[in-house]
Amino acid sequence: MKYKSLAFDLDDTLLDTSGLLVPLASQRACEAMLAAGLRCTLDECMRARAELATELSHTEIFTRIVNRFGTNQQGKAVHDALEEFYNPQVPETLPLMAGALENLKILKQNYKLFLVTMGSIPSQERKIKALNIAPFFDGIYILNGFIGEKKDSAFREILRTQGHDPKYLLSIGNRLSSEIRDGKRVGADTCYFAYGEHVGEKPQCPEDHPDFTVSHHKDLIPTCGL
């Protein structure tokens, strides 16, 4: 086999976060900024967030919104927006994206599977529980981007525990600036899952160019030769 370990992202790779959770989380984030004195309407804030979401992190997005519209409590507005956005209301049960369950069942038979996700630990744990996917994975890593953690640390830990070369690891995810860039920086192959509100993200580094690109789970196994 070409690979021994597969590292999956969670949001907009296994879970349709953009479709199921982002709309309400975005509204709550904008409402938090308005409560902190943001000088615009809810609709203006929501439109601005959607326009900026393609290429920026949400720390950058909310900072730009605050700078654009103004408030006397800039730090509080950004902080409160991030708290609301990264701690969304998660239902008790959530569906996997079309074809994801079938892929996990097939791939589990031949590979070590890992979940490597970024965000609030309680929120990501609620999503994983609602999806009921923990049994598929040999390891689950939740990174905290607020303190500067990046996915390459999880990828290196996977390589250390599995004891194989980076070329036997495939990183699969929807962010060029995260799963693809961090995967490349440890020497892994990468598969860009082109889905969700960040789908227009442009490469910023040489490492942002994936080995494979798919838009649906039905294409993952044949495209990546799994």
Side-chain angles (χ1 to χ4, degrees), residues 90-107:
V90 178
E92 288 190 7
T93 60
L94 283 168
L96 284 162
M97 294 176 68
L101 179 60
E102 292 79 2
N103 278 347
L104 291 175
K105 288 179 177 178
I106 293 170
L107 296 171

Side-chain angles (χ1 to χ4, degrees), residues 9-63:
D9 176 42
L10 177 62
D11 294 299
D12 285 334
T13 301
L14 295 173
L15 169 65
D16 181 10
T17 306
S18 287
L20 297 176
L21 301 180
V22 165
L24 180 56
S26 299
Q27 178 177 326
R28 291 177 59 188
C30 284
E31 289 171 346
M33 287 191 286
L34 291 170
L38 189 69
R39 302 185 187 101
C40 67
T41 66
L42 178 60
D43 284 346
E44 287 172 331
C45 182
M46 293 283 284
R47 285 197 298 271
R49 193 213 66 86
E51 291 168 3
L52 296 169
T54 300
E55 298 189 26
L56 301 176
S57 72
H58 274 87
T59 299
E60 296 169 317
I61 289 169
F62 296 139
T63 300

Side-chain angles (χ1 to χ4, degrees), residues 29 32-33 36-38 62 66 71 73-82:
M33 287 191 286
L38 189 69
F62 296 139
V66 165
T71 174
Q73 302 183 82
Q74 178 172 344
K76 176 175 172 55
V78 173
H79 173 272
D80 291 355
L82 289 169

Side-chain angles (χ1 to χ4, degrees), residues 3-7 111-112 114 158 162 164 168-170:
Y3 303 108
K4 297 180 179 180
S5 300
L6 310 180
Y111 303 93
K112 294 286 188 178
F114 298 90
I158 291 169
Q162 297 307 301
H164 59 62
Y168 295 117
L169 171 65
L170 177 68

